[in-house]
């Protein structure tokens, strides 16, 4: 099995840190004859995955060459904006909050996940689920914690150039673990058959349903092929785009409800 690691600069990763071949994304893009007749597995560690960057084109070209690559262009696009990955948050936050007891009741503001491996076994369930959703070498998850529920503020890539010395050591260990595993493709997500709008007022002091209950409901609905999308009164003009409306805001004859 041939593994190829792409970096933004030759100095980003020391060749002695891994037995696998390391080349820059520039060289990978400039030499189409590389690995001709082979089907290597490519780990793209570019420092920039932005649209039309070298990192972006390296994964795009890898796919066109028939090379297995992480992250794919689809993953890069998914993580470019919160609205493109917010459909994954209910399931991820449910797994995240199951870690609370083992973490002593409080979450860090940020956690790094390398190849689906967390900083300790406490994070296993969440880390594996995150990697299943977004197959990327290094991700950082920013967490907003409250007494009731820990929510995910942001999911983003964590490039080598921004890693601390300890993070890089952990990353190398996780890289070795990952490359010794059998390659697994990302699980396919069944497209939703229906979309339900859920009318909420984020500023309501005593709402009919707690946010945690709605998130759990969204997780159950997803398994049944139903996508739950929260809306507010400003979105009422778009109601025709949904299959159903679930009102989780206190109703009154004197307002929009």
């Amino acid at each position: 099995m041939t593994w190829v690691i792409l970096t933004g600069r030759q100095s980003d990763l020391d060749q002695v840190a891994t037995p696998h071949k390391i080349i820059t994304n520039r060289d990978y893009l400039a030499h189409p004859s590389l690995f001709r007749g082979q089907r290597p597995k490519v780990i793209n560690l570019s420092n920039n995955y932005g649209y039309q960057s070298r990192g972006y084109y390296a994964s795009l070209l890898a796919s066109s060459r028939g090379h297995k690559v992480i992250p794919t262009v689809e993953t890069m696009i998914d993580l470019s904006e919160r609205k493109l990955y917010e459909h994954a948050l209910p399931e991820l936050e449910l797994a995240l909050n199951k870690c609370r007891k083992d973490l002593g009741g409080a979450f860090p503001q940020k956690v790094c996940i390398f190849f689906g491996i967390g900083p300790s076994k406490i994070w296993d369930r969440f880390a594996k689920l995150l990697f299943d959703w977004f197959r990327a070498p290094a991700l950082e998850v920013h967490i907003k914690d409250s007494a009731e529920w820990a929510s995910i503020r942001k999911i983003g890539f964590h490039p080598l150039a921004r890693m601390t010395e300890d993070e890089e050591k952990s990353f190398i260990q996780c890289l070795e673990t990952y490359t010794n595993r059998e390659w697994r493709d990302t699980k396919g997500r069944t497209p939703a058959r229906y979309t339900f709008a859920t009318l909420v007022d984020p500023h309501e002091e005593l709402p009919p349903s707690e946010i945690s209950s709605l998130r759990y409901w969204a997780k159950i609905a997803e398994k049944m092929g139903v996508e739950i999308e929260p809306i507010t009164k400003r979105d009422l003009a778009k109601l025709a785009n949904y299959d159903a409306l679930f009102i989780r805001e206190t109703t009154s004859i004197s307002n929009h409800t």
Side-chain angles (χ1 to χ4, degrees):
M1 182 184 299
T2 302
W3 290 90
V4 177
I5 298 174
L6 307 183
T7 59
R9 299 168 301 183
Q10 197 69 49
S11 59
D12 283 345
L13 189 64
D14 194 337
Q15 180 65 71
V16 300
T18 173
H20 308 299
K21 185 172 182 61
I22 300 175
I23 63 173
T24 64
N25 51 30
R26 181 193 292 269
D27 288 340
Y28 184 78
L29 291 169
H31 299 91
S33 61
L34 283 172
F35 313 109
R36 181 168 291 167
Q38 302 179 50
R39 291 295 179 91
K41 294 172 173 58
V42 179
I43 298 175
N44 185 351
L45 299 183
S46 299
N47 289 319
N48 183 4
Y49 297 124
Y51 180 61
Q52 293 189 335
S53 65
R54 283 200 188 98
Y56 176 92
Y57 278 120
S59 282
L60 187 65
L61 184 59
S63 296
S64 69
R65 289 175 177 173
H67 301 170
K68 295 279 191 178
V69 61
I70 63 167
T72 62
V73 166
E74 289 77 13
T75 298
M76 295 175 188
I77 293 172
D78 283 345
L79 292 179
S80 64
E81 292 185 63
R82 180 184 171 88
K83 66 181 180 182
L84 298 179
Y85 63 78
E86 62 184 4
H87 61 287
L89 295 182
E91 185 178 7
L92 288 170
E93 289 180 353
L94 190 64
L96 176 67
N97 280 274
K98 288 182 178 179
C99 301
R100 182 183 293 278
K101 182 178 179 181
D102 292 332
L103 287 170
F107 287 91
Q109 292 184 337
K110 185 186 80 170
V111 62
C112 294
I113 306 296
F114 302 140
F115 297 100
I117 303 170
S120 68
K121 287 191 174 296
I122 294 172
W123 295 92
D124 276 359
R125 179 198 295 261
F126 174 74
K128 289 175 182 176
L129 182 62
L130 181 69
F131 194 57
D132 188 36
W133 272 104
F134 308 110
R135 196 61 57 90
L139 294 171
E140 58 181 10
V141 180
H142 296 263
I143 302 169
K144 181 180 180 181
D145 194 13
S146 67
E148 178 188 351
W149 188 262
S151 57
I152 295 173
R153 291 197 299 109
K154 181 183 177 182
I155 302 172
F157 297 107
H158 190 41
L160 279 169
R162 291 214 324 263
M163 289 185 191
T164 65
E165 185 176 342
D166 287 342
E167 286 175 342
E168 187 170 337
K169 287 180 181 178
S170 177
F171 177 81
I172 296 300
Q173 292 173 352
C174 294
L175 170 64
E176 182 179 358
T177 300
Y178 178 71
T179 53
N180 285 328
R181 294 175 182 167
E182 182 179 352
W183 181 283
R184 293 184 301 118
D185 288 321
T186 306
K187 288 183 181 178
R189 298 282 168 174
T190 304
R193 292 177 296 167
Y194 306 103
T195 304
F196 285 9
T198 304
L199 181 64
V200 296
D201 179 358
H203 305 296
E204 189 170 359
E205 291 185 5
L206 296 172
S209 297
E210 297 291 341
I211 294 298
S212 57
S213 299
L214 293 176
R215 287 192 174 106
Y216 182 73
W217 178 60
K219 174 180 169 59
I220 300 301
E222 182 188 13
K223 294 179 179 179
M224 302 174 69
V226 178
E227 180 182 6
I228 305 301
E229 183 171 332
I231 65 171
T232 66
K233 63 181 180 181
R234 292 182 297 180
D235 302 309
L236 294 180
K238 301 189 297 182
L239 277 182
N241 297 333
Y242 302 98
D243 298 296
L245 172 65
F246 186 38
I247 299 177
R248 290 289 81 197
E249 180 179 339
T250 302
T251 58
S252 170
I253 60 172
S254 61
N255 67 14
H256 56 278
T257 59

